[in-house]
Amino acid sequence: MTQQYLLEMRDITKVFPGVKALDNVEFKIKSGTVHSLMGENGAGKSTLMKILIGIHPPTNGKITYKNKEVVFENTNKALNMGISMIHQELSPVLHRTIMENIWLGREPVKGPLRLVDHKKMYNMTKELLKDLDLDIDPKEKMANLTVAKMQMIEIAKAVSYNSEVVIMDEPTSALTDREVEHLFRIIERLKNQGKAIIYISHKMDEIFRISDEITVLRDGQYIGTYLAQELDTNKLISLMVGRQLDEMFPKVECEIGDIRLEVKNLAVEGVFKDVSFILRKGEILGLAGLVGAGRTEVIETIFGMRNKTSGEVYIDGRKVKINSPEDAIKNKMALLTEDRRHTGIFPMLSVKDNTVIANINKYVKGNGLLDHKLIKGDCEKYKDAIRVKTPSIDQLIQNLSGGNQQKVLVARWLLTDPDILILDEPTRGIDVGAKAEIHSLISELAGQGKSIIMISSELPEVLGMSDRVMVMYDGRMTGIVDRKDASQEVIMKYATGSM
Amino acid sequence: MNVDKTKKIISKYGIYFVFIIMVIGMSLASPVFLTGRNLMNVIRQVSVIGMISLGVTLVIISKGIDLSSGSVLAVAAVVAASLGQRGNWHAKMFPNLPELPIIVPLLAALAIGLICGAINGTLIAKTGIPAFIATLGMMVSARGLALLYTDGRPVSSLTESYQYIGQGYILGIPVPVIIYLTMVLVTWVLLNHTKFGKNIYAIGGNIHAAEVSGVNVQRNLIKIYAYAGLLAGLAGMVLSARVNTGQPGMGVSYELDAIAATTIGGTSHSGGIGTIGGAFVGALILGVLNNGLNLLGVSAYWQQIIKGGIIVGAVIIDMRKNAKKK
C-alpha cells in the first residue's frame, strides 16, 4: 500500500559560515509511523530538525507538509501548523506549576478582562495527563518533579498542541526502564492516532524496538532511508560511521594490584546507606543501577561534593578526610561528572582554559604568575594524545561537538595525574566513534595502574569494561559481581532489588 | 576569507574602533580636543571611576555585582583625610594628632577598602545571599559610617604630600593618571597571568564546574570583592587628595559609572566574559564623551541622556556579537 507522505523535506542544504552542515538531505515521514533519525554527533540531525521547526532557515531545499510547500519562519508558526519538538535539554519554568508550564503563552481566559481561567486550565491539564496515564497533580510545581517526570510533562505539552508531527530528541536519556516503557506506550498511542513521530536517540535497542523507518545522516550527507527490519545494530552502526566497529569494548586485561581505595559503611541520611567496597590498582569497577538508585550520590560523596552522615574512606590504607573537591583532588582523585553542561564545561572559555583549570597549581611559577608556555605545551600534548578535534586550543569549547567536549574534560582530569579516576556516564550523549575512543582510553588508563570507577546506565558498556560490577538499588548496595559471573540478567536482578 | 577575517577583528575589537571613531569625530568637531593637555585631562578625569571599574570588572566577570564602591570610597576618603590633615589647622578632627607621613592615610584608605570588600565577599560566599543584596547593604551602611565618622562635616586642609597624590605631576603626567595606569597594568596581570584570574573566569563561566574542578569558590569570591574594595579605597584617597578634602557625601553613584564603564568595555553580566583592556577603553569612552560634549557646549542634562543611551547601545551590540557565535 502506498501512502502519502505527511511531511517531505527535499534537497535540504544548510551552509553556516565556513561549514556545510547539510548537503542535499532528504527526509520523509508518513502519518502513523515512527521514523528514527540516526547519525553521529555532528552528522546534522539537530540542524535538520532546527530547519524543520523554523529555528534556522535552509540555504536551499523545499519542505512539503500536507501536500503544500511551506516555509516556517519561526517555531511558533511550525507549532501552530502542528509540528512540535521535545528538546534534549528541557527548559521548564521551575517555580511555576505543571499546568502553567503546559499552557504557557496560550492560557485559557474568561470574561471581558480576559483573566486567566485557572479552573479550566486545571481541568484541561487533568484530562491531558490522564490521557497519557500520568498520575501527577496539575498544580504541582515543576521544580518538585524528577527529570523523568519533567520529560513526560514536556511530551504532554507537545500532545496538547494536537501536533501532527512530534520530534523527540533523546527523550530517554534521563528515564528509568519503567519510564521508558511508559514513553513507548505513549508513542504507540500517538502512532495509532495517526501522528508522525521523529525519534532521535543513540540507544540502538530503542531504535529497533519502536522505529518503522530509519534515515541515516553522516557528516551532513544523506546516506539513506531504510525500513527498520532491513537493518540490525551492526549494519546501522556501519552506515552511521562508515566503517565496521568490530571491537566495541576494547577491554585490555591488565594486572590488578594492591588495594588503593577502601570505602567503609558510607552513608548520607535519606539518600543511601551502608556502601562498602574496595578498589584496586589497575582495576575498573563498574557501578550499575537504575536512575535514582544513588550511584551518582555515592561518588559525589566520595569526591567531597556532599557531606556524609557516616562512614570512612581509606586511600592506600590511610584514612582520609575529604570535605570538598579540592581535598579530593589533593588526594589524587578525579571526577568526570555526569552532566557535562552543568558541572563540566566552561562554555565561554577556550579549550585551553577548560583543560588546565583543575591542575592550575602546576603552572604557577615562583613569581606567582602562570607559565603560559607550559600550559600551551601540555594542552597541545593532550589534545593530540586523545584526539580532540578542534581547530586550535584557543577555540571556545562551546563550539566543539559533545564528544569532543567530553574528551577535553577527560584531558582536564588526566592532567592532574590522578590515581583514582571516577567516571560518571562517560559516554552519555556522544557518538559511536568517540565512544569507542573513550572506551579504549579508559582501558589504557587502567593498564597504567590507575584505579577507575565507572558509572554507566548502559549495561553492555558496564559489562564490557569492568573487572567487577557493583550494583545499587534504591540507595543501597545490592551486590558486587565479578567479571566472569556478570551478565545482563544477573545485574538487572540486583538492580531491581530482586536478588 | 579576508572579509570573514575583517569581520572577526571588528567584532572582537569593536569597542576599540568605537573609541577611535569617537576620538576622530571629536577632534574634527573641536580643535581643542586633540591637544595633549586636553587628552591628559580626559584620563585624569576618568582615573577615579576607572580605578573602581577595574575591580568591578573582576566582580562582574565572576557573575557578581558591586554596588558599594561609591560608599566605600567615601569611608576611605574621610578616614584617610582625617589622618592627613595639616598640623596647624584649627578645626582638626583629631586636634592632638601630629602631622603623619603620607603612608599612614594611604594604608588606612587601602585597609578600609579591603575590609569592606572582604565583608561583601564573605557575606556572598558564606551565606549565599545575592551579590546585589550584600553590596546594597554595604552601600547603605558604609555611607552611614562615613557620615557617622565625620558627623556629616567635610575633613579639610590636607598636607602637601597628601594633595600631591591628587594634584601633583611626575614628568608632566598627573599622579592620579600614573596611579590609574599602574593599577590597570597590575589588574591586567592579575586577571591574565595568575591562577586567581583563571579562577575568576571559571567561577563566572560555570560555578558548579569550577567547584568540581577543585576551585575554592568561597575563598576566591572573598578575594574578588576584597580586591574591588581595595581599589575603591585607593580611589577614595586619590579623589580626596584631588579636591583637598574628604567628604562623607563623596562618590555618590560612582559605582554606577564604574559598572557602566565595565559594561561598555564588553564585560558580560552573564559571567565569564570580560577584559581589562575593555574596562580601560570603556572608562575612556565615558571620559571622551563628557569632555567632548563639554567642549561642544552640550548641556549636562543632554550629556546624561546620551550616556544612558550609549550604555544600553553598547550592551545591545555586545549581545548580538555573542549571539552570532551560537
Side-chain angles (χ1 to χ4, degrees):
Chain A
M1 186 188 86
T2 49
Q3 192 194 339
Q4 281 287 333
Y5 286 105
L6 174 66
L7 173 80
E8 289 181 66
M9 299 177 81
R10 262 176 303 172
D11 303 326
I12 302 288
T13 297
K14 176 73 195 176
V15 180
F16 289 111
V19 201
K20 201 170 202 180
L22 292 172
D23 189 7
N24 277 312
V25 169
E26 175 179 312
F27 186 82
K28 300 178 195 172
I29 185 165
K30 295 169 188 165
S31 294
T33 63
V34 176
H35 194 138
S36 289
L37 185 56
M38 299 295 291
E40 294 191 85
N41 284 351
K45 292 169 298 187
S46 307
T47 311
L48 186 66
M49 290 302 108
K50 281 179 181 166
I51 287 172
L52 179 56
I53 61 171
I55 293 178
H56 295 315
T59 311
N60 197 10
K62 263 192 237 164
I63 303 176
T64 315
Y65 177 59
K66 293 181 176 169
N67 294 320
K68 263 190 288 187
E69 196 178 323
V70 287
V71 180
F72 299 128
E73 291 96 350
N74 53 50
T75 47
N76 254 337
K77 194 161 171 203
L79 208 51
N80 290 332
M81 300 228 359
I83 299 178
S84 61
M85 176 156 178
I86 298 155
H87 293 270
Q88 193 177 353
E89 263 117 34
L90 305 176
S91 45
V93 186
L94 283 176
H95 296 288
R96 308 305 310 178
T97 62
I98 289 175
M99 59 181 198
E100 283 167 316
N101 268 277
I102 289 181
W103 303 103
L104 191 67
R106 51 192 179 120
E107 293 85 353
V109 292
K110 61 179 175 189
L113 290 177
R114 298 179 58 75
L115 301 174
V116 173
D117 188 344
H118 284 103
K119 203 166 167 192
K120 191 171 169 200
M121 186 151 77
Y122 181 83
N123 290 332
M124 277 159 47
T125 313
K126 188 125 192 161
E127 207 164 303
L128 178 70
L129 295 180
K130 202 178 135 206
D131 206 36
L132 297 175
D133 273 339
L134 289 169
D135 185 23
I136 320 172
D137 182 7
K139 286 186 177 164
E140 186 69 65
K141 291 244 171 74
M142 281 305 257
N144 297 338
L145 302 183
T146 59
V147 178
K149 286 267 163 55
M150 283 186 203
Q151 190 100 42
M152 293 295 189
I153 298 300
E154 209 58 38
I155 291 166
K157 188 172 175 179
V159 171
S160 75
Y161 276 96
N162 271 321
S163 301
E164 303 271 341
V165 178
V166 180
I167 305 163
M168 300 187 180
D169 188 2
E170 294 273 1
T172 59
S173 58
L175 304 194
T176 64
D177 283 357
R178 193 159 14 115
E179 290 157 340
V180 170
E181 288 305 318
H182 190 171
L183 175 69
F184 285 178
R185 281 202 304 278
I186 292 175
I187 290 176
E188 196 62 32
R189 186 174 312 176
L190 295 174
K191 211 170 122 173
N192 292 337
Q193 289 168 6
K195 319 255 185 216
I197 315 283
I198 302 173
Y199 196 85
I200 300 173
S201 173
H202 286 296
K203 296 185 186 161
M204 295 291 167
D205 51 335
E206 290 177 5
I207 297 293
F208 284 107
R209 242 193 82 185
I210 62 165
S211 309
D212 298 300
E213 285 180 289
I214 298 172
T215 287
V216 181
L217 302 183
R218 189 201 307 149
D219 299 330
Q221 305 281 333
Y222 174 71
I223 302 300
T225 299
Y226 310 86
L227 289 175
Q229 60 255 38
E230 291 176 342
L231 297 177
D232 58 29
T233 305
N234 286 336
K235 267 191 213 155
L236 180 52
I237 289 177
S238 63
L239 286 171
M240 285 163 60
V241 300
R243 64 191 129 93
Q244 294 279 353
L245 272 184
D246 39 16
E247 185 62 273
M248 280 281 280
F249 303 103
K251 167 91 184 138
V252 183
E253 293 301 329
C254 58
E255 203 167 308
I256 293 179
D258 299 338
I259 295 178
R260 176 159 278 149
L261 173 76
E262 182 166 10
V263 173
K264 276 189 188 164
N265 302 320
L266 195 67
V268 172
E269 179 112 48
V271 183
F272 63 86
K273 59 185 176 193
D274 279 340
V275 171
S276 304
F277 64 91
I278 56 167
L279 177 67
R280 293 172 180 277
K281 288 178 187 164
E283 186 181 38
I284 301 177
L285 176 69
L287 186 41
L290 301 174
V291 171
R295 298 169 300 168
T296 298
E297 290 78 1
V298 167
I299 54 127
E300 282 180 356
T301 309
I302 295 172
F303 202 68
M305 291 164 69
R306 287 168 184 263
N307 293 327
K308 62 177 189 231
T309 323
S310 62
E312 286 137 31
V313 176
Y314 297 82
I315 293 177
D316 294 326
R318 177 172 52 88
K319 189 172 168 182
V320 290
K321 243 189 171 167
I322 294 173
N323 294 322
S324 69
E326 207 183 358
D327 293 344
I329 293 168
K330 277 185 195 141
N331 281 294
K332 308 225 92 180
M333 291 170 108
L335 170 63
L336 186 69
T337 56
E338 172 185 20
D339 190 339
R340 194 165 55 234
R341 274 166 182 273
H342 187 61
T343 50
I345 63 166
F346 301 97
M348 295 85 90
L349 299 188
S350 64
V351 167
K352 185 174 72 184
D353 285 344
N354 267 284
T355 308
V356 297
I357 184 74
N359 200 34
I360 196 89
N361 286 324
K362 178 184 163 188
Y363 304 103
V364 181
K365 292 186 287 190
N367 59 9
L369 301 184
L370 292 173
D371 187 340
H372 287 292
K373 231 184 200 162
L374 192 61
I375 289 180
K376 202 166 165 237
D378 274 3
C379 287
E380 292 286 357
K381 198 170 88 194
Y382 275 89
K383 183 197 124 193
D384 294 341
I386 62 177
R387 294 178 292 274
V388 179
K389 271 183 222 130
T390 173
S392 104
I393 55 170
D394 294 317
Q395 176 74 266
L396 298 187
I397 197 170
Q398 63 183 2
N399 296 337
L400 269 54
S401 72
N404 278 305
Q405 290 180 356
Q406 190 75 332
K407 284 190 199 165
V408 172
L409 295 184
V410 171
R412 175 190 294 172
W413 290 114
L414 292 186
L415 254 181
T416 66
D417 192 24
D419 289 336
I420 301 165
L421 188 56
I422 308 175
L423 308 167
D424 193 353
E425 303 281 5
T427 62
R428 166 177 290 177
I430 68 179
D431 61 68
V432 185
K435 225 172 185 167
E437 287 186 54
I438 287 184
H439 286 148
S440 61
L441 191 64
I442 294 172
S443 272
E444 214 174 286
L445 292 167
Q448 291 166 16
K450 303 204 182 295
S451 306
I452 292 167
I453 302 176
M454 185 182 77
I455 296 187
S456 173
S457 291
E458 289 182 39
L459 279 181
E461 182 173 79
V462 174
L463 292 169
M465 299 296 300
S466 314
D467 293 298
R468 285 182 305 145
V469 182
M470 168 171 146
V471 193
M472 290 189 67
Y473 166 72
D474 197 22
R476 34 194 189 90
M477 211 176 85
T478 45
I480 294 186
V481 191
D482 266 344
R483 181 175 179 80
K484 58 180 179 355
D485 306 324
S487 68
Q488 302 220 21
E489 293 73 27
V490 172
I491 291 182
M492 254 359 254
K493 274 186 185 165
Y494 282 115
T496 50
S498 49
M499 210 160 132
Chain B
M1 174 215 136
N2 271 335
V3 177
D4 260 15
K5 220 171 191 178
T6 319
K7 265 189 188 164
K8 240 184 201 167
I9 289 172
I10 290 181
S11 101
K12 189 169 177 191
Y13 299 104
I15 197 67
Y16 300 91
F17 286 114
V18 170
F19 175 64
I20 291 166
I21 291 166
M22 273 180 74
V23 169
I24 294 171
M26 290 296 182
S27 48
L28 290 178
S30 160
V32 191
F33 180 78
L34 211 57
T35 58
R37 212 177 128 187
N38 186 54
L39 290 182
M40 202 51 93
N41 212 7
V42 170
I43 306 188
R44 189 172 60 188
Q45 276 168 351
V46 301
S47 58
V48 169
I49 298 288
M51 259 178 252
I52 299 172
S53 79
L54 296 173
V56 169
T57 299
L58 304 200
V59 168
I60 294 180
I61 292 174
S62 79
K63 213 175 177 174
I65 192 81
D66 189 352
L67 299 176
S68 68
S69 333
S71 300
V72 171
L73 174 149
V75 181
V78 293
V79 173
S82 73
L83 300 174
Q85 286 178 299
R86 282 178 206 276
N88 55 358
W89 175 242
H90 61 89
K92 277 183 81 167
M93 244 185 106
F94 304 110
N96 300 323
L97 198 70
E99 216 167 275
L100 295 167
I102 184 64
I103 189 75
V104 178
L106 180 62
L107 285 180
L110 294 177
I112 282 168
L114 193 76
I115 291 166
C116 290
I119 292 172
N120 281 336
T122 308
L123 279 172
I124 294 159
K126 301 285 179 189
T127 71
I129 59 172
F132 189 96
I133 303 299
T135 60
L136 179 67
M138 179 58 74
M139 170 182 162
V140 176
S141 298
R143 182 68 63 191
L145 191 65
L147 288 161
L148 181 75
Y149 185 76
T150 57
D151 205 14
R153 285 191 286 267
V155 186
S156 307
S157 189
L158 307 175
T159 61
E160 249 168 55
S161 53
Y162 195 120
Q163 289 183 41
Y164 182 75
I165 288 185
Q167 300 166 24
Y169 288 84
I170 296 174
L171 301 172
I173 304 170
V175 176
V177 172
I178 291 173
I179 296 176
Y180 176 37
L181 295 181
T182 308
M183 293 323 290
V184 168
L185 192 68
V186 168
T187 315
W188 181 80
V189 170
L190 207 59
L191 196 56
N192 293 289
H193 291 275
T194 69
K195 177 184 161 186
F196 178 47
K198 294 286 172 197
N199 287 345
I200 294 172
Y201 280 109
I203 290 170
N206 185 344
I207 193 168
H208 305 289
E211 211 151 326
V212 176
S213 301
V215 173
N216 188 326
V217 173
Q218 294 197 355
R219 198 193 313 142
N220 275 293
L221 280 176
I222 295 171
K223 276 159 75 177
I224 292 167
Y225 285 89
Y227 185 71
L230 181 88
L231 284 169
L234 181 62
M237 176 80 190
V238 171
L239 183 62
S240 58
R242 205 171 89 202
V243 298
N244 197 12
T245 167
Q247 293 186 19
M250 268 177 163
V252 170
S253 90
Y254 275 28
E255 60 278 343
L256 299 182
D257 281 337
I259 293 168
T262 301
T263 308
I264 291 171
T267 299
S268 161
H269 286 252
S270 46
I273 299 175
T275 61
I276 290 303
F280 181 55
V281 173
L284 287 185
I285 285 178
L286 283 182
V288 167
L289 199 70
N290 269 338
N291 176 272
L293 295 177
N294 273 337
L295 291 179
L296 297 179
V298 177
S299 90
Y301 307 144
W302 270 112
Q303 287 189 25
Q304 285 260 36
I305 295 169
I306 294 169
K307 204 158 87 182
I310 286 191
I311 294 167
V312 175
V315 176
I316 292 173
I317 292 168
D318 225 56
M319 299 258 297
R320 287 200 166 177
K321 182 173 97 188
N322 289 332
K324 263 190 211 147
K325 280 184 196 150
K326 287 177 190 165

